[in-house]
Amino acid sequence: MRDHQSFIVVFLLITLLFTMPARGGSIDKIAQSGMKWLSIPIGARGTAMGSAFTAVADDASSVFWNPAGLAFAEGGHVFLSQNQWIGDINVNAGAISYNAGNIGVFGVSVVSMDWGTFHGTQRATNESGYIETGDFTPEDWAVGVAYARRVSDQFSFGGHLRYVHELLGETLEGTMDDPSTFSGEMNIFIFDFGTQYYTGIKDLRFGMSLLNFSQEKRYRSEWFPLPLTFRFGVAMDVARLFMEESGHALTISMDALHPRDFGERMHFGGEYTFKQLVFLRAGYKTNYDEEDISFGGGLKLTINNMAVAFDYCYLNFQHFDSVHMFSFGFKF
Protein backbone atom coordinates (compact mmCIF):
# COMPACT_ATOMS: atom_id res chain seq x y z
CA MET A 1 0.00 0.00 0.00
CA ARG A 2 2.83 2.40 0.87
CA ASP A 3 4.46 1.74 -2.51
CA HIS A 4 1.24 2.76 -4.25
CA GLN A 5 1.10 5.92 -2.15
CA SER A 6 4.69 6.71 -3.12
CA PHE A 7 3.93 6.49 -6.81
CA ILE A 8 0.81 8.64 -6.42
CA VAL A 9 2.67 11.36 -4.49
CA VAL A 10 5.54 11.45 -7.01
CA PHE A 11 3.09 11.60 -9.92
CA LEU A 12 1.19 14.52 -8.38
CA LEU A 13 4.39 16.42 -7.68
CA ILE A 14 5.64 15.96 -11.22
CA THR A 15 2.30 17.15 -12.58
CA LEU A 16 2.35 20.22 -10.31
CA LEU A 17 5.88 21.20 -11.24
CA PHE A 18 5.28 20.78 -14.95
CA THR A 19 2.27 23.07 -14.87
CA MET A 20 3.88 25.90 -12.89
CA PRO A 21 5.89 27.47 -15.76
CA ALA A 22 2.83 27.55 -18.01
CA ARG A 23 1.23 30.19 -15.81
CA GLY A 24 4.23 32.52 -15.49
CA GLY A 25 6.63 31.70 -18.30
CA SER A 26 5.32 34.47 -20.55
CA ILE A 27 6.20 37.25 -18.09
CA ASP A 28 9.15 39.29 -19.35
CA LYS A 29 11.16 40.55 -16.37
CA ILE A 30 14.61 41.39 -17.73
CA ALA A 31 17.23 43.72 -16.21
CA GLN A 32 15.35 44.35 -12.97
CA SER A 33 18.15 43.59 -10.51
CA GLY A 34 21.81 44.31 -9.87
CA MET A 35 24.72 42.26 -8.55
CA LYS A 36 23.70 39.43 -10.87
CA TRP A 37 26.85 37.55 -9.96
CA LEU A 38 24.97 36.43 -6.85
CA SER A 39 22.88 34.20 -9.14
CA ILE A 40 25.85 32.21 -10.49
CA PRO A 41 25.56 28.62 -9.19
CA ILE A 42 28.25 27.46 -6.79
CA GLY A 43 29.38 23.87 -6.42
CA ALA A 44 29.94 21.18 -9.04
CA ARG A 45 27.54 18.66 -7.49
CA GLY A 46 24.45 20.85 -7.43
CA THR A 47 25.16 22.47 -10.79
CA ALA A 48 25.71 19.10 -12.50
CA MET A 49 22.23 18.11 -11.30
CA GLY A 50 20.75 20.96 -13.31
CA SER A 51 20.83 23.17 -10.18
CA ALA A 52 17.85 21.16 -8.91
CA PHE A 53 19.45 21.03 -5.49
CA THR A 54 17.05 22.73 -3.07
CA ALA A 55 15.78 19.47 -1.56
CA VAL A 56 19.08 17.60 -2.00
CA ALA A 57 21.59 19.91 -0.27
CA ASP A 58 23.01 18.23 2.83
CA ASP A 59 26.54 19.53 3.46
CA ALA A 60 28.48 22.79 3.82
CA SER A 61 27.67 23.80 0.22
CA SER A 62 24.01 24.03 1.30
CA VAL A 63 24.55 27.65 2.35
CA PHE A 64 24.58 28.59 -1.35
CA TRP A 65 21.39 26.64 -2.22
CA ASN A 66 19.24 26.04 0.85
CA PRO A 67 20.66 26.81 4.31
CA ALA A 68 18.32 24.24 5.89
CA GLY A 69 20.35 21.44 4.30
CA LEU A 70 23.24 22.45 6.54
CA ALA A 71 21.39 20.75 9.41
CA PHE A 72 22.15 17.34 7.87
CA ALA A 73 25.92 17.92 7.72
CA GLU A 74 27.51 15.55 10.22
CA GLY A 75 30.69 16.49 12.10
CA GLY A 76 32.80 19.09 10.34
CA HIS A 77 32.86 19.77 6.61
CA VAL A 78 35.10 21.96 4.46
CA PHE A 79 33.83 22.82 0.97
CA LEU A 80 35.90 24.51 -1.76
CA SER A 81 34.71 25.41 -5.26
CA GLN A 82 36.29 26.86 -8.39
CA ASN A 83 34.03 27.93 -11.24
CA GLN A 84 35.42 28.84 -14.67
CA TRP A 85 32.49 30.98 -15.78
CA ILE A 86 31.85 32.56 -19.19
CA GLY A 87 33.96 35.50 -20.42
CA ASP A 88 37.10 34.33 -18.56
CA ILE A 89 35.35 35.07 -15.26
CA ASN A 90 36.32 32.91 -12.30
CA VAL A 91 34.20 32.34 -9.20
CA ASN A 92 36.00 31.07 -6.11
CA ALA A 93 33.97 30.00 -3.10
CA GLY A 94 34.27 28.08 0.12
CA ALA A 95 32.30 27.12 3.20
CA ILE A 96 32.97 25.45 6.53
CA SER A 97 30.33 23.84 8.74
CA TYR A 98 30.42 22.27 12.18
CA ASN A 99 27.70 20.21 13.81
CA ALA A 100 27.36 21.18 17.48
CA GLY A 101 24.82 18.47 18.30
CA ASN A 102 21.58 19.60 19.86
CA ILE A 103 22.64 23.24 19.57
CA GLY A 104 22.57 23.09 15.77
CA VAL A 105 24.99 23.41 12.86
CA PHE A 106 27.10 26.53 12.31
CA GLY A 107 28.76 27.61 9.12
CA VAL A 108 30.77 30.35 7.46
CA SER A 109 31.07 31.11 3.75
CA VAL A 110 33.02 33.23 1.32
CA VAL A 111 32.63 34.03 -2.39
CA SER A 112 35.09 36.01 -4.49
CA MET A 113 34.74 37.07 -8.11
CA ASP A 114 37.74 37.39 -10.44
CA TRP A 115 36.65 39.57 -13.36
CA GLY A 116 40.10 40.13 -14.81
CA THR A 117 41.42 43.54 -15.91
CA PHE A 118 39.41 46.02 -17.99
CA HIS A 119 40.58 49.03 -19.98
CA GLY A 120 38.42 51.97 -19.01
CA THR A 121 37.08 54.70 -21.29
CA GLN A 122 34.57 57.48 -20.78
CA ARG A 123 32.55 59.64 -23.14
CA ALA A 124 33.97 63.08 -23.79
CA THR A 125 33.46 66.10 -26.08
CA ASN A 126 36.89 65.81 -27.73
CA GLU A 127 37.59 64.72 -31.30
CA SER A 128 37.64 60.98 -30.55
CA GLY A 129 34.49 61.17 -28.42
CA TYR A 130 36.07 59.51 -25.39
CA ILE A 131 38.94 59.67 -22.94
CA GLU A 132 40.92 56.79 -21.45
CA THR A 133 40.59 56.31 -17.73
CA GLY A 134 43.17 53.54 -17.34
CA ASP A 135 42.95 49.89 -16.41
CA PHE A 136 40.76 48.77 -13.54
CA THR A 137 39.63 45.55 -11.88
CA PRO A 138 36.13 45.33 -10.34
CA GLU A 139 35.83 43.86 -6.86
CA ASP A 140 32.99 41.62 -5.77
CA TRP A 141 33.01 39.40 -2.72
CA ALA A 142 30.72 38.18 0.04
CA VAL A 143 31.31 36.67 3.47
CA GLY A 144 28.61 35.08 5.56
CA VAL A 145 27.63 33.17 8.66
CA ALA A 146 24.98 30.46 8.72
CA TYR A 147 22.98 28.48 11.24
CA ALA A 148 20.70 25.46 10.76
CA ARG A 149 18.87 23.11 13.08
CA ARG A 150 16.89 19.91 12.85
CA VAL A 151 13.67 20.44 14.75
CA SER A 152 12.84 16.76 14.28
CA ASP A 153 13.94 13.83 12.17
CA GLN A 154 11.73 15.20 9.41
CA PHE A 155 12.00 18.99 9.53
CA SER A 156 14.91 21.44 9.49
CA PHE A 157 15.38 25.16 8.94
CA GLY A 158 18.37 27.39 8.33
CA GLY A 159 19.50 30.95 7.68
CA HIS A 160 22.51 32.55 6.02
CA LEU A 161 23.48 36.19 6.62
CA ARG A 162 26.02 37.68 4.20
CA TYR A 163 27.90 40.95 3.89
CA VAL A 164 28.34 41.78 0.20
CA HIS A 165 30.88 44.23 -1.22
CA GLU A 166 31.04 45.58 -4.76
CA LEU A 167 33.46 48.10 -6.28
CA LEU A 168 32.98 48.75 -9.98
CA GLY A 169 35.83 51.25 -10.25
CA GLU A 170 36.18 55.01 -10.29
CA THR A 171 35.00 57.28 -13.11
CA LEU A 172 35.18 61.00 -13.79
CA GLU A 173 32.08 63.15 -13.59
CA GLY A 174 31.24 66.81 -13.94
CA THR A 175 32.86 68.92 -16.66
CA MET A 176 36.31 68.73 -18.17
CA ASP A 177 37.23 71.96 -16.36
CA ASP A 178 35.78 70.83 -13.06
CA PRO A 179 35.90 67.02 -12.93
CA SER A 180 34.84 64.96 -9.94
CA THR A 181 35.37 61.30 -9.13
CA PHE A 182 32.53 58.81 -8.77
CA SER A 183 33.29 55.52 -7.01
CA GLY A 184 30.90 52.69 -7.85
CA GLU A 185 31.17 51.12 -4.40
CA MET A 186 28.31 49.41 -2.61
CA ASN A 187 28.05 47.36 0.58
CA ILE A 188 24.94 45.56 1.72
CA PHE A 189 23.68 42.78 3.99
CA ILE A 190 21.61 40.01 2.40
CA PHE A 191 19.76 37.12 3.98
CA ASP A 192 18.99 33.60 2.78
CA PHE A 193 16.45 31.34 4.45
CA GLY A 194 15.28 27.80 3.83
CA THR A 195 13.49 24.70 5.10
CA GLN A 196 13.58 20.99 4.36
CA TYR A 197 10.92 18.42 5.14
CA TYR A 198 11.08 14.62 4.89
CA THR A 199 7.60 13.17 4.35
CA GLY A 200 8.28 9.73 5.84
CA ILE A 201 7.50 8.08 2.48
CA LYS A 202 10.86 6.43 1.76
CA ASP A 203 13.19 9.47 1.57
CA LEU A 204 10.80 11.75 -0.34
CA ARG A 205 11.52 15.31 0.78
CA PHE A 206 10.67 18.89 -0.02
CA GLY A 207 12.87 21.96 0.15
CA MET A 208 12.18 25.68 0.03
CA SER A 209 14.61 28.58 0.01
CA LEU A 210 14.48 32.35 -0.37
CA LEU A 211 17.82 33.71 -1.58
CA ASN A 212 19.28 37.25 -1.76
CA PHE A 213 16.66 38.99 0.37
CA SER A 214 17.78 42.57 1.01
CA GLN A 215 16.95 46.24 0.74
CA GLU A 216 17.39 48.06 -2.55
CA LYS A 217 20.64 49.84 -3.41
CA ARG A 218 21.30 53.03 -5.33
CA TYR A 219 23.77 53.31 -8.19
CA ARG A 220 24.17 56.90 -9.39
CA SER A 221 20.56 58.10 -9.71
CA GLU A 222 18.71 54.78 -9.88
CA TRP A 223 17.65 52.29 -7.25
CA PHE A 224 17.80 48.56 -7.92
CA PRO A 225 17.04 45.36 -5.98
CA LEU A 226 19.23 42.30 -5.76
CA PRO A 227 18.32 39.06 -7.63
CA LEU A 228 15.81 37.77 -5.09
CA THR A 229 14.84 34.17 -5.93
CA PHE A 230 12.29 31.80 -4.44
CA ARG A 231 13.02 28.10 -4.94
CA PHE A 232 10.81 25.10 -4.27
CA GLY A 233 12.23 21.62 -4.74
CA VAL A 234 11.38 17.95 -4.36
CA ALA A 235 13.74 14.99 -4.39
CA MET A 236 13.63 11.25 -3.85
CA ASP A 237 15.86 8.21 -4.18
CA VAL A 238 13.63 6.26 -6.56
CA ALA A 239 15.81 3.16 -6.18
CA ARG A 240 14.30 2.74 -2.71
CA LEU A 241 10.90 2.13 -4.29
CA PHE A 242 12.20 -1.17 -5.59
CA MET A 243 15.09 -2.23 -3.35
CA GLU A 244 16.63 -1.33 -0.01
CA GLU A 245 20.29 -1.28 1.01
CA SER A 246 21.55 -2.42 -2.39
CA GLY A 247 24.54 -0.11 -2.60
CA HIS A 248 22.85 1.71 -5.48
CA ALA A 249 20.96 5.00 -5.26
CA LEU A 250 19.24 7.08 -7.92
CA THR A 251 18.09 10.47 -6.67
CA ILE A 252 15.72 12.38 -8.94
CA SER A 253 15.17 16.06 -8.13
CA MET A 254 13.11 18.94 -9.49
CA ASP A 255 13.16 22.65 -8.63
CA ALA A 256 10.67 25.36 -9.52
CA LEU A 257 12.15 28.88 -9.45
CA HIS A 258 10.48 32.26 -9.20
CA PRO A 259 13.24 34.84 -9.82
CA ARG A 260 12.66 38.57 -9.49
CA ASP A 261 14.25 39.37 -12.85
CA PHE A 262 12.97 36.63 -15.15
CA GLY A 263 10.04 34.32 -15.77
CA GLU A 264 9.45 31.09 -13.88
CA ARG A 265 12.01 28.37 -14.49
CA MET A 266 12.23 24.62 -14.01
CA HIS A 267 15.32 22.61 -13.12
CA PHE A 268 15.57 18.81 -13.38
CA GLY A 269 18.40 16.66 -12.10
CA GLY A 270 19.53 13.16 -11.31
CA GLU A 271 22.35 11.59 -9.33
CA TYR A 272 23.38 7.92 -9.46
CA THR A 273 25.47 6.69 -6.54
CA PHE A 274 27.36 3.43 -6.19
CA LYS A 275 28.29 2.51 -2.61
CA GLN A 276 28.83 6.20 -1.74
CA LEU A 277 32.03 5.98 -3.75
CA VAL A 278 31.25 6.86 -7.38
CA PHE A 279 28.73 9.50 -8.47
CA LEU A 280 27.25 10.27 -11.90
CA ARG A 281 25.03 13.33 -12.39
CA ALA A 282 23.04 15.06 -15.11
CA GLY A 283 20.50 17.87 -15.34
CA TYR A 284 18.45 20.15 -17.55
CA LYS A 285 17.09 23.70 -17.19
CA THR A 286 14.11 25.33 -18.90
CA ASN A 287 13.40 28.98 -19.80
CA TYR A 288 17.04 30.06 -20.07
CA ASP A 289 18.50 32.00 -22.99
CA GLU A 290 21.87 30.27 -22.75
CA GLU A 291 22.07 27.43 -20.22
CA ASP A 292 20.46 24.04 -20.78
CA ILE A 293 22.11 20.66 -20.11
CA SER A 294 24.72 19.81 -17.51
CA PHE A 295 26.46 16.66 -16.38
CA GLY A 296 29.34 15.57 -14.20
CA GLY A 297 30.56 13.11 -11.65
CA GLY A 298 32.47 12.66 -8.47
CA LEU A 299 34.55 10.40 -6.26
CA LYS A 300 34.57 10.10 -2.49
CA LEU A 301 37.24 8.30 -0.50
CA THR A 302 37.20 7.62 3.23
CA ILE A 303 40.59 7.63 4.92
CA ASN A 304 40.51 6.81 8.63
CA ASN A 305 37.85 9.20 9.98
CA MET A 306 38.04 11.72 7.14
CA ALA A 307 36.20 11.62 3.82
CA VAL A 308 37.67 13.37 0.79
CA ALA A 309 35.43 14.16 -2.19
CA PHE A 310 36.09 15.56 -5.65
CA ASP A 311 33.30 16.69 -8.00
CA TYR A 312 33.27 17.97 -11.57
CA CYS A 313 30.55 19.66 -13.64
CA TYR A 314 30.19 20.55 -17.30
CA LEU A 315 27.54 23.21 -18.03
CA ASN A 316 26.59 23.85 -21.65
CA PHE A 317 25.92 27.33 -23.06
CA GLN A 318 24.31 28.05 -26.41
CA HIS A 319 26.57 30.88 -27.62
CA PHE A 320 29.41 30.94 -25.07
CA ASP A 321 32.14 28.47 -24.26
CA SER A 322 31.01 25.74 -21.94
CA VAL A 323 31.60 26.17 -18.23
CA HIS A 324 33.70 23.83 -16.08
CA MET A 325 33.36 23.61 -12.31
CA PHE A 326 35.45 21.80 -9.72
CA SER A 327 34.65 21.21 -6.06
CA PHE A 328 36.51 19.61 -3.19
CA GLY A 329 35.08 18.46 0.11
CA PHE A 330 36.65 17.30 3.37
CA LYS A 331 34.55 15.75 6.14
CA PHE A 332 36.01 15.03 9.56
Short mmCIF file of all heavy atoms in Angstrom, two decimals, residues 10 157 177 235 262 270 291 322:
data_model
loop_
_atom_site.label_atom_id
_atom_site.label_comp_id
_atom_site.label_asym_id
_atom_site.label_seq_id
_atom_site.Cartn_x
_atom_site.Cartn_y
_atom_site.Cartn_z
N VAL A 10 4.55 11.02 -6.01
CA VAL A 10 5.54 11.45 -7.01
C VAL A 10 4.85 11.93 -8.27
O VAL A 10 5.23 12.95 -8.87
CB VAL A 10 6.53 10.30 -7.32
CG1 VAL A 10 7.44 10.68 -8.48
CG2 VAL A 10 7.36 9.96 -6.09
N PHE A 157 15.39 23.81 9.48
CA PHE A 157 15.38 25.16 8.94
C PHE A 157 16.79 25.74 9.05
O PHE A 157 17.63 25.24 9.81
CB PHE A 157 14.39 26.06 9.72
CG PHE A 157 14.83 26.37 11.12
CD1 PHE A 157 15.59 27.50 11.40
CD2 PHE A 157 14.49 25.53 12.17
CE1 PHE A 157 16.01 27.79 12.69
CE2 PHE A 157 14.90 25.81 13.47
CZ PHE A 157 15.66 26.94 13.72
N ASP A 177 36.54 70.93 -17.14
CA ASP A 177 37.23 71.96 -16.36
C ASP A 177 37.10 71.71 -14.86
O ASP A 177 37.96 72.13 -14.08
CB ASP A 177 36.67 73.34 -16.70
CG ASP A 177 36.93 73.71 -18.15
OD1 ASP A 177 37.97 73.25 -18.70
OD2 ASP A 177 36.11 74.43 -18.75
N ALA A 235 12.73 15.98 -4.03
CA ALA A 235 13.74 14.99 -4.39
C ALA A 235 13.40 13.66 -3.75
O ALA A 235 12.74 13.60 -2.70
CB ALA A 235 15.14 15.44 -3.97
N PHE A 262 13.24 37.46 -13.98
CA PHE A 262 12.97 36.63 -15.15
C PHE A 262 11.69 35.85 -14.91
O PHE A 262 11.13 35.89 -13.81
CB PHE A 262 14.14 35.66 -15.42
CG PHE A 262 14.35 35.33 -16.87
CD1 PHE A 262 15.08 36.16 -17.69
CD2 PHE A 262 13.77 34.19 -17.43
CE1 PHE A 262 15.27 35.87 -19.04
CE2 PHE A 262 13.95 33.89 -18.76
CZ PHE A 262 14.70 34.73 -19.57
N GLY A 270 19.42 14.53 -11.79
CA GLY A 270 19.53 13.16 -11.31
C GLY A 270 20.94 12.86 -10.85
O GLY A 270 21.92 13.42 -11.37
N GLU A 291 21.79 28.70 -20.89
CA GLU A 291 22.07 27.43 -20.22
C GLU A 291 21.00 26.39 -20.56
O GLU A 291 19.84 26.71 -20.76
CB GLU A 291 22.10 27.64 -18.70
CG GLU A 291 23.09 28.69 -18.24
CD GLU A 291 22.96 28.99 -16.76
OE1 GLU A 291 22.90 28.03 -15.97
OE2 GLU A 291 22.89 30.17 -16.38
N SER A 322 31.58 26.49 -23.05
CA SER A 322 31.01 25.74 -21.94
C SER A 322 31.76 26.03 -20.64
O SER A 322 32.93 26.42 -20.64
CB SER A 322 31.06 24.24 -22.23
OG SER A 322 30.32 23.94 -23.40
#
